């Protein structure tokens, strides 16, 4: 399931809040997990299949970073 893959990816990427990510469950967070999974997968595809598309790669790197920051703020405010 995309949500659980996103949760696991974020747990690896954000070890300082891993314990929060493992224990928290709600619809808003599930949507962020799913969005992160899709964004990371797309970023990897672009890096592997279109290495010359720097603008697109940069946009998805920024998107992944923004989702990470959103998850951090969400978890720390709960």
């Amino acid at each position: 399931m995309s949500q659980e893959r996103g949760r696991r990816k974020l747990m690896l990427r954000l070890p300082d809040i891993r314990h929060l990510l493992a224990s928290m469950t709600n619809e808003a967070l599930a949507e962020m997990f799913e969005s992160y999974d899709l964004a990371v997968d797309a970023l990897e595809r672009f890096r592997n299949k279109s290495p010359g598309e720097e603008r697109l790669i940069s946009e998805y790197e920024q998107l992944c970073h923004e989702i990470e920051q959103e998850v951090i703020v969400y978890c720390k405010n709960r």
Side-chain angles (χ1 to χ4, degrees):
M1 190 163 206
S2 187
Q3 292 173 2
E4 285 307 307
R5 283 191 310 266
R7 180 193 305 260
R8 288 190 303 270
K9 289 174 184 177
L10 281 161
M11 288 173 71
L12 290 171
R13 184 80 174 129
L14 307 171
D16 291 345
I17 62 166
R18 184 177 293 150
H19 63 288
L20 297 174
L21 294 172
S23 64
M24 294 179 77
T25 309
N26 63 48
E27 191 172 325
L29 204 50
E31 288 179 16
M32 286 186 258
F33 292 159
E34 185 170 2
S35 295
Y36 190 73
D37 181 51
L38 295 171
V40 168
D41 285 352
L43 176 58
E44 288 306 310
R45 277 194 314 277
F46 297 141
R47 285 180 174 159
N48 292 330
K49 294 183 178 179
S50 306
E53 292 287 337
E54 294 300 322
R55 186 187 61 77
L56 193 57
I57 292 169
S58 179
E59 284 180 29
Y60 272 82
E61 287 173 341
Q62 180 64 32
L63 176 60
C64 291
H65 178 73
E66 289 171 3
I67 295 170
E68 290 166 6
Q69 295 307 307
E70 186 176 348
V71 168
I72 290 168
V73 168
Y74 186 88
C75 288
K76 289 190 175 184
N77 288 333
R78 295 287 159 193

